[in-house]
Amino acid sequence: MNAIQLFQHGGPEQLVWRNVPTGEPRAGEVLVRTTAVGVNFMDIGVRNGQLWRDQPLPLIPGVEGVGEVIALGEGVQSLTMGERVAWVYAQASYAEHVIVPADSLVSVPASIPDDTAAGLMMQGVTAHHFATRFYAVKPGDVALVHAAAGGVGLLLTQMIKLRGGRVIARVSSADKEAIARAAGADDVIVSSDGRFVDEVMRLTANEGVNVVYDGSGAATFQDSMGSLRHHGVLAYYGPVLGSPPSINIAALPRSIMIGFPKFSDHIATRDTLLTCVNELFEWVGSERLKVTIGQRYPLREAARAHIDLQSRRSTGKLLLIP
């Protein structure tokens, strides 16, 4: 099979298109022919050496996708040959075939296209965690969503609106404003320098927001804290883009709370994975949630997808198509 391999950490040029052995599924595993593979910021962290430092090189990046079951390992009875499945965290997904533990796979409803399902997995589960559990949005809550025209931001905006919240979206350029508004954002702030707190306070009559979802890195951290009202919550999830500055916890203003929502905590068991993903599929099937695919690239052009994602030029979900 063909796959993208990483032989040394570094820039996008280190992503190499190679022919590699396909492999056979072991007990409890499934071999899947991929039809759509998701691109995520964590893949950039793997490529540049911030993540998976314990993994020997060469390795195949990627953790999510959609495909068709073509071989079953011993003991797998929950899936059938030819079934369409999706996964949210299986290493080596940048490939024409991937071996995935059966318990990590979910069946894709016939009404959900492959690219939509791929766009829902990592970023959909992440947004679901943010809006339903880490800070469970209530009717009337006001949320500040960073990178609101990106894959997570667009899904998160819609979920906040589904739960009765108000969204103040921040985007990095004026051309992204319409995209954020189309997802349901009530107000949009265009800011690329990390300064936006004055506009947030103007839009909230100096009260601030209940929650900030900040995946934009260290540059936005101070104004994100400053945008919170009393007992507000800052969900920080952008370590690949830079760690926040050191904090004197005793100096935090207005009794605010800061946390790091860890992806795996939301789907710690197969039951919680199925509950989350089935709700996402139901929202899409009922047209209450729309997945925006920003760009599709041939799998061999993974480097170009990384360049576009890292430059912040892209909107929506980026996919690799084998």
Side-chain angles (χ1 to χ4, degrees):
M1 70 172 183
N2 293 307
I4 294 292
Q5 280 194 300
L6 181 70
F7 285 83
Q8 64 182 49
H9 296 117
E13 71 281 358
Q14 301 300 334
L15 298 173
V16 180
W17 179 248
R18 301 281 291 225
N19 186 267
V20 300
T22 298
E24 297 290 337
R26 297 174 296 184
E29 295 179 335
V30 176
L31 178 64
V32 180
R33 179 182 62 82
T34 57
T35 54
V37 177
V39 180
N40 297 285
F41 267 104
M42 74 164 294
D43 303 340
I44 293 173
V46 170
R47 191 200 73 220
N48 65 26
Q50 289 178 270
L51 304 175
W52 293 9
R53 293 294 296 185
D54 59 334
Q55 299 291 319
L57 298 175
L59 60 78
I60 299 173
V63 295
E64 71 169 339
V66 173
E68 176 187 353
V69 174
I70 60 172
L72 301 171
E74 182 182 353
V76 176
Q77 298 180 343
S78 57
L79 298 165
T80 59
M81 295 289 289
E83 187 171 355
R84 280 200 314 144
V85 291
W87 58 96
V88 69
Y89 197 96
Q91 294 184 14
S93 292
Y94 280 19
E96 292 176 333
H97 299 86
V98 60
I99 295 174
V100 185
D103 284 347
S104 296
L105 293 168
V106 297
S107 297
V108 179
S111 60
I112 307 291
D114 287 357
D115 55 358
T116 298
L120 264 182
M121 298 308 291
M122 176 67 77
Q123 293 178 341
V125 171
T126 296
H128 191 275
H129 185 194
F130 292 171
T132 68
R133 185 171 297 180
F134 186 82
Y135 180 89
V137 175
K138 306 177 297 298
D141 281 347
V142 184
L144 172 61
V145 176
H146 287 286
V152 172
L154 290 171
L155 293 169
L156 180 57
T157 293
Q158 294 174 77
M159 292 181 201
I160 293 167
K161 297 301 294 181
L162 281 173
R163 295 177 66 86
R166 172 188 169 193
V167 176
I168 300 174
R170 188 191 69 82
V171 296
S172 59
S173 58
D175 60 314
K176 297 180 178 180
E177 179 175 353
I179 297 170
R181 289 193 184 278
D186 299 279
D187 302 282
V188 180
I189 298 172
V190 178
S191 169
S192 59
D193 62 0
R195 306 217 175 163
F196 47 84
V197 66
D198 290 344
E199 184 64 4
V200 170
M201 289 301 168
R202 184 187 72 80
L203 291 169
T204 59
N206 288 319
E207 288 190 15
V209 300
N210 298 90
V211 59
V212 177
Y213 299 103
D214 189 349
S216 293
T220 54
F221 191 78
Q222 290 297 332
D223 271 29
S224 287
M225 285 201 304
S227 297
L228 290 167
R229 64 181 61 184
H230 284 83
H231 301 105
V233 174
L234 171 54
Y236 182 80
Y237 64 102
V240 172
L241 296 176
S243 299
S246 298
I247 300 170
N248 176 3
I249 195 167
L252 290 177
R254 300 178 301 284
S255 298
I256 65 172
M257 293 168 277
I258 299 173
F260 181 80
K262 188 176 179 182
F263 177 84
S264 59
D265 287 339
H266 191 49
I267 52 171
T269 67
R270 177 161 178 78
D271 285 344
T272 56
L273 169 65
L274 292 175
T275 298
C276 172
V277 173
N278 287 338
E279 182 164 38
L280 293 172
F281 285 155
E282 193 277 325
W283 284 343
V284 170
S286 62
E287 299 185 349
R288 288 182 289 169
L289 184 68
K290 179 182 178 182
V291 178
T292 300
I293 306 301
Q295 185 69 37
R296 299 171 181 83
Y297 307 80
L299 178 59
R300 65 168 63 236
E301 296 183 16
R304 184 159 65 93
H306 276 223
I307 291 169
D308 289 348
L309 182 62
Q310 199 164 8
S311 69
R312 295 299 208 173
R313 291 196 301 264
S314 63
T315 59
K317 181 67 177 182
L318 305 188
L319 297 178
L320 303 176
I321 308 301

